[in-house]
Amino acid sequence: PSPPPTINHKQLIAHGGHKTHPYHSKRPAPQPPHILTTTMSTVPQSTSQDPPHHGINDGSGEACGSHSYALVDEEGKVVSRDESLTEILISKGVKEANFISAIVSLGEATAHIAVILQNYVDHSYAGTQNSSGDDQLHLDIDCDNAVFRAIREAGVFSIAASEETPEEVDVSPKTTKEDGPLYSLGFDPLDGSSIIDANFSVGSIFGIWPGKGLLGRTGREQVASVVSLYGPRTTLIIALPSKSRDGDTQSDITFEVTLVKDRSHWEVSRPEVILKPAKKVFAPGNLRATNDNAKYDALVKHWISDRYTLRYSGGMVPDVYHMFAKSGGVFSNVSSEKAKAKLRLLYEVAAMGLLVECAGGVTTHEFEDKSVLDFAVDDLDRRMGVCFGSKDEVQKYKDFMFSK
């Protein structure tokens, strides 16, 4: 069967974002893409004698056999999701049709992952590890496939790589959609899988780069980043640097939308997220590093003695997101000789860094006074410690960590 139709964002832009184009009929549930060459069932499972497999997923976007998207997509609801997010992006100064399609596809992936998470009861492992050495849940792979499926259907991406598929996968459309640029995507489909069994909030992290390829790029080159948060609500927080918004007077912006009306519609919930210069809230990641990193130990003790409020869950997305919700704070993840850095520049750090800086915050490498957006992805698995947050709070981090 032919692939499902997609929103023509150029027609939407031409009509001011309103539903006046011919695609307004019931949309069938998406069919699996016709590019599958490997299914998960054919991948050998590791045994105690075998070395762990790394990044066993293949980026094909295979449909999850246990969870159907039919209910969330039925009766044209996916059309409403597409159109509502399209209209929001147009209102924020985004005009390029393929760029809109790229972000909208991440909204679709988010809606589908929300369905998977809601129905998640299988806590089993896939018998493999990702590139960070984390044991992979079947859930991790299902979420990874949901994203690859959505971006392949969008037809506006050329390359994608993820934590579960740590290689540059060619996702170029077989036939180019009209004219317009293509994009590359680095993402973590499920940040926080280690805390999901406690029913904590978890998320997805997406960084969008123009053109083809991710290696050698810096976070500063991103045209947008998007983070999904799955909790009592499903939300997207989107960062658009000024270069991605139409008009000479447009500035960087970070804003939030929420999935409402039975997952059929995106609605603006925070028109603009701004991080205030100071806020006494802290989220100290990798605390075990305080055991052999004296400067980090002193900083954490300062936060405690100065009566900062602790907001830490162990998941990067909810912990950084809390700063956006409360308009400030500081998040740190510092390494030491015995507690190595685990955050990946491509899959997590660059996208989160863009969100923070577009909201008026500051980012820095853990040991070097330099924005995380100015480091190049010289290895898809490059890792680093970081500090994100309000301007004054990050300066306080630097005062402690960069002192002689």
Side-chain angles (χ1 to χ4, degrees), residues 363-366 368-376 398 402:
T363 72
T364 186
H365 183 277
E366 59 176 328
E368 185 177 351
D369 192 358
K370 180 178 177 181
S371 166
V372 300
L373 298 182
D374 294 324
F375 288 86
K398 294 178 181 180
F402 298 162

Side-chain angles (χ1 to χ4, degrees), residues 350-362:
M352 278 294 196
L354 187 66
L355 280 164
V356 170
E357 294 197 10
C358 284
V362 175

